[in-house]
Amino acid sequence: MSDSYAERQDSIRLVRDSAAAVVPADFRRIRDLRFTDAGFDAATWAEMVAMGWVSLRLPEAAGGAGLGMAEYVALAEALGRGLVPEPLIPGALSAALLAAAGQAPPEDYVVTAWQEAPDTLHAPGTPSTARLFLPLARGAARILLPVREASGLALYELPNPSLDVAMMQDGGHVATLRPAMDGARRLADDVAPAMERALDEAALATAAYLLGVMEQGFAMTLGYLRTRKQFGKAIGSFQALQHRAVDLQLQITLTRASVEDAADVLDSDAGFRHRRAVVSRAKARAAEASMLVTRSAVQLHGAIGYTDEYDVGLFLRKAMVLANSFGSATLHRRRFVAEMPEED
C-alpha cells in the first residue's frame, strides 16, 4: 500500500469521524425541523461551516480545505445516513461560485438560483426566466443569480428576493424565484466553468447522500427482520425475505462502487466527457436504487412502516425528494450514453 493511498484513506476516515458531531443518534431533531420556516438549524449550519465542510472542495488559496471528491462523497454519505437536513450540497455549490468570483467562503447559507426547467443539469442564465427548486431558500441569507451576458455567465447577488414556496415530502421546502435585477450586485463576469464543475460535483454528492440514506434504511430493516417474530421464529429466517434482502444489498453495493469510482475519476486528470459520464452513471444508479431500497424497507416493516411515527418512512421521503435533485435517473442515463466513449 502506497503512502499516498494510506494518507487518503486516513483523510476520508477523519471526514467520516467528524460527521458524527452532526449526525444525530436518533431522529428527534430531524422530526422537529420538518415543516419549520427555515427547514434546518442555524446553529448546526454554523458548526458545519466552522468544520470547513462547505468549503471542503475549495483550494486552500481560496480559503478552503483543498480536499478531493473522495472526501466530499464520504461526508455526504455520512450525512445521508442521519438524514441531516442542513443544505450542505447547495451551499457548497454556491461557495464554489463565490470562490470563482474572488469571494471568501460564506459563513451563512447562500443558495444559487440556477435551474430554469424541471430535470436539468444546465444553467442557461436566461435573465427574465423564473428559477425553480431553490432548496430551503427561506433559510438562505443570500441568493446568487447566474445571468447569461455577452461576457459569459455573470454572477449577481439579489437583495430581498420574492419567493414562492412549496413544501416537500421530507418536511423541507423548495422555492421559485422570479428575478428582479433592481439593486442586484454584480459579483463576476463569467462563472460558467465553475458552474459546470459545481453542478457535476453536486450531482455526485447527492448520489452519495442517497447511498447513505439507503444504507441506513436497509440497516434498520435488517434489525427489524432479526427481531420481529412470527410463528415462533424471526421473520428474517424466512427464505423469501432473505432473498429479497440479498437483492437490496446488491443494489447498495453496486451504488457504492459507482459513487466511489466517480469520485476517483473526478480526482484524477480524466477528460471532461469521461468525468460527466461517470457522474451520470453514479447518480442514475443512486436515484433508482434508493427508491427501490427505501420502498422495500417500508414494505418489509409491514403496517408499522407506513405510519409517520415510525422512522423508516423518513428514509423513503428523503429519497423521494433527492432522487430527482440535480438530475433524474432518466436524464443521467441519457447523458451517460451521450458522454461515455463507445469502447468503454
Side-chain angles (χ1 to χ4, degrees):
M1 182 183 297
S2 67
D3 290 342
S4 61
Y5 177 82
E7 290 173 1
R8 191 64 181 276
Q9 294 307 304
D10 286 342
S11 176
I12 292 171
R13 198 173 303 113
L14 288 172
V15 167
R16 291 185 188 276
D17 290 345
S18 71
V22 169
V23 175
D26 58 50
F27 297 98
R28 282 184 298 224
R29 184 180 85 87
I30 308 306
R31 289 184 174 279
D32 289 344
L33 287 169
R34 291 194 303 167
F35 307 111
T36 58
D37 190 56
F40 65 93
D41 178 54
T44 302
W45 177 260
E47 187 177 0
M48 293 167 67
V49 170
M51 288 190 288
W53 291 358
V54 178
S55 55
L56 182 146
R57 289 285 294 132
L58 301 182
E60 294 181 16
L67 298 180
M69 280 304 298
E71 288 86 354
Y72 189 14
V73 299
L75 175 60
E77 178 194 338
L79 299 184
R81 282 178 171 270
L83 300 178
V84 172
E86 282 70 31
L88 173 69
I89 296 170
L93 184 151
S94 296
L97 298 182
L98 289 171
Q103 305 264 331
E107 295 186 0
D108 44 21
Y109 173 43
V110 180
V111 65
T112 300
W114 62 272
Q115 190 168 353
E116 298 179 20
D119 200 14
T120 182
L121 200 65
H122 173 60
T126 311
S128 59
T129 299
R131 307 303 171 89
L132 311 177
F133 308 121
L134 279 69
L136 301 182
R138 286 192 304 206
R142 292 180 284 163
I143 292 182
L144 303 180
L145 182 73
V147 176
R148 183 67 60 183
E149 296 179 351
S151 59
L153 190 65
L155 186 67
Y156 288 86
E157 181 180 303
L158 298 185
N160 303 317
S162 176
L163 301 172
D164 296 327
V165 174
M167 302 306 296
M168 304 297 286
Q169 293 95 330
D170 65 345
H173 66 270
V174 295
T176 298
L177 167 72
R178 290 172 176 79
M181 301 303 292
D182 295 342
R185 184 164 72 99
R186 187 187 183 94
L187 302 180
D189 293 334
D190 187 16
V191 295
M195 175 64 77
E196 287 185 352
R197 288 192 302 272
L199 287 175
D200 274 342
E201 292 186 3
L204 183 55
T206 302
Y209 190 104
L210 286 169
L211 172 61
V213 168
M214 69 177 95
E215 280 193 319
Q216 187 59 32
F218 181 64
M220 291 175 62
T221 304
L222 287 182
Y224 180 80
L225 294 178
R226 293 184 182 117
T227 56
R228 177 74 168 92
K229 291 186 176 181
Q230 284 186 351
F231 311 112
K233 59 174 64 176
I235 62 175
S237 65
F238 300 155
Q239 193 172 61
L241 297 185
Q242 290 177 353
H243 288 170
R244 191 166 180 187
V246 169
D247 289 341
L248 297 178
Q249 181 62 70
L250 179 61
Q251 292 297 322
I252 294 170
T253 300
L254 291 173
T255 302
R256 174 173 294 283
S258 292
V259 168
E260 292 183 350
D261 177 67
D264 288 342
V265 170
L266 264 61
D267 285 335
S268 72
D269 58 357
F272 174 74
R273 293 187 64 189
H274 188 197
R275 292 160 61 92
R276 285 166 59 93
V278 295
V279 167
S280 284
R281 180 177 61 194
K283 182 56 169 64
R285 179 168 289 283
E288 293 189 331
S290 63
M291 289 301 300
L292 173 62
V293 171
T294 56
R295 278 176 175 158
S296 297
V298 169
Q299 293 166 359
L300 288 168
H301 276 80
I304 194 173
Y306 290 89
T307 64
D308 185 65
E309 292 80 7
Y310 200 75
D311 288 339
V312 76
L314 298 175
F315 292 86
L316 174 57
R317 294 183 184 92
K318 183 62 74 172
M320 291 171 67
V321 170
L322 291 184
N324 292 330
S325 181
F326 296 103
S328 69
T330 299
L331 179 145
H332 281 288
R333 281 198 302 269
R334 192 163 55 238
R335 198 176 80 151
F336 174 80
V337 170
E339 299 292 356
M340 180 59 81
E342 289 186 10
E343 59 269 21
D344 294 333

